[in-house]
């Protein structure tokens, strides 16, 4: 399995059998490049216009934008209801957390999550292999709340997303507060992570991917 970061909360997952899953593609780049490849499946965590972008390469891709359990070949996708704020969605609306599981790994994408999820949702997230978590605040969890959530979930690997970089124009926090709270940190000079390269030797390790547009 391979994970590719396109910026903000947008990722591409390539499964072990070659299927491509595009997560939260964006329409308005704001410093990012949205030249997404052809995919088999697109998942969106919210109804924001930038998460509903489908370029000309993906007019026939299956789209999942709701909670529930779905299957694609050997992959199981589970969508869990949550919110983009701490006020049950009254401020920014609902959010969908997605868990992707194949026969070897589990990956969780928290979308635009803005609160600590309910105990029933937390139970499904505990001990996930790879957690993709927003840390930029203002629109999602900030670094301190993201740290609290990571301590509750105890994922094996953590990949922060949706934070301020040199090229982003959105009002987001930089990753300092989050990164300094992590015990084990590894920076990769690429926006691509091959899960087969991971060793799983730490209780939780934070992997900092390099934004593709800097």
């Amino acid at each position: 399995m391979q994970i590719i970061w396109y910026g903000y909360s947008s990722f591409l997952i390539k499964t072990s059998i070659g299927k491509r899953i595009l997560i939260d593609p964006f329409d308005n780049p704001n410093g990012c490049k949205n030249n997404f490849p052809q995919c088999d499946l697109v998942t969106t965590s919210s109804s924001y216009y930038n998460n509903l972008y489908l370029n000309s390469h993906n007019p026939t891709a299956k789209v999942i934008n709701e909670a529930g359990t779905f299957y694609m070949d050997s992959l199981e996708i589970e969508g869990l209801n949550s919110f983009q704020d701490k006020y049950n969605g009254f401020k920014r609306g609902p959010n969908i957390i997605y868990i992707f599981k194949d026969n070897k790994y589990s990956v969780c994408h928290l979308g635009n999550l803005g609160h600590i999820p309910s105990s029933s949702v937390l139970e499904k997230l505990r001990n996930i292999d790879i957690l993709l978590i927003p840390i930029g605040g203002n629109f999602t969890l900030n670094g301190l709340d993201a740290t609290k959530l990571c301590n509750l979930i105890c994922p094996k690997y953590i990949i922060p997303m949706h934070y301020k970089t040199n090229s982003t124009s959105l009002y987001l926090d930089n990753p300092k507060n989050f990164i300094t709270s992590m015990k084990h940190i590894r920076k990769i000079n690429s926006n691509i992570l091959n899960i087969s390269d991971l060793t799983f030797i730490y209780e939780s390790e934070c992997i900092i991917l390099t934004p593709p547009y800097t």
Side-chain angles (χ1 to χ4, degrees), residues 1-202:
M1 183 181 284
Q2 187 179 70
I3 296 176
I4 303 172
W5 187 32
Y6 280 91
Y8 296 112
S9 60
S10 184
F11 288 83
L12 180 72
I13 296 178
K14 293 183 180 180
T15 71
S16 57
I17 61 172
K19 296 296 183 180
R20 294 183 176 186
I21 304 164
L22 184 60
I23 306 172
D24 282 2
F26 46 81
D27 186 7
N28 184 3
N30 287 309
C32 303
K33 295 180 181 179
N34 56 358
N35 53 339
F36 305 115
Q38 184 174 352
C39 299
D40 302 287
L41 174 68
V42 177
T43 65
T44 61
S45 61
S46 75
S47 58
Y48 278 175
Y49 70 93
N50 61 328
N51 284 348
L52 295 174
Y53 176 72
L54 296 178
N55 65 18
S56 59
H57 295 290
N58 287 296
T60 60
K62 176 179 174 59
V63 177
I64 297 177
N65 56 8
E66 60 184 334
T69 303
F70 311 89
Y71 298 92
M72 185 180 72
D73 299 309
S74 60
L75 189 73
E76 176 184 311
I77 305 105
E78 184 174 11
L80 305 172
N81 286 316
S82 57
F83 304 103
Q84 297 182 58
D85 53 57
K86 298 179 180 179
Y87 310 102
N88 294 325
F90 289 121
K91 188 175 181 180
R92 294 193 182 92
N95 177 71
I96 301 175
I97 296 168
Y98 288 102
I99 301 173
F100 306 89
K101 294 181 180 178
D102 65 6
N103 55 7
K104 193 171 184 180
Y105 301 109
S106 58
V107 178
C108 176
H109 185 279
L110 293 177
N112 294 330
L113 184 68
H115 67 106
I116 301 298
S118 65
S119 57
S120 60
V121 172
L122 284 175
E123 190 61 34
K124 290 179 176 290
L125 302 183
R126 285 195 177 94
N127 300 313
I128 207 87
D129 288 324
I130 298 174
L131 180 69
L132 311 177
I133 185 168
I135 64 169
N138 302 298
F139 307 101
T140 66
L141 293 171
N142 59 32
L144 296 178
D145 287 337
T147 298
K148 294 177 184 177
L149 183 54
C150 287
N151 291 334
L152 290 171
I153 296 176
C154 297
K156 296 179 179 66
Y157 286 93
I158 301 162
I159 300 178
M161 63 177 182
H162 210 273
Y163 57 84
K164 182 177 180 59
T165 68
N166 292 334
S167 299
T168 55
S169 58
L170 290 179
Y171 182 59
L172 299 170
D173 298 336
N174 65 47
K176 180 180 178 181
N177 287 338
F178 182 77
I179 292 175
T180 55
S181 68
M182 297 288 105
K183 292 182 179 179
H184 308 289
I185 303 173
R186 187 198 319 179
K187 181 175 174 52
I188 296 179
N189 293 322
S190 174
N191 65 318
I192 300 174
L193 175 67
N194 292 306
I195 299 182
S196 59
D197 294 337
L198 302 179
T199 58
F200 294 87
I201 61 175
Y202 297 114

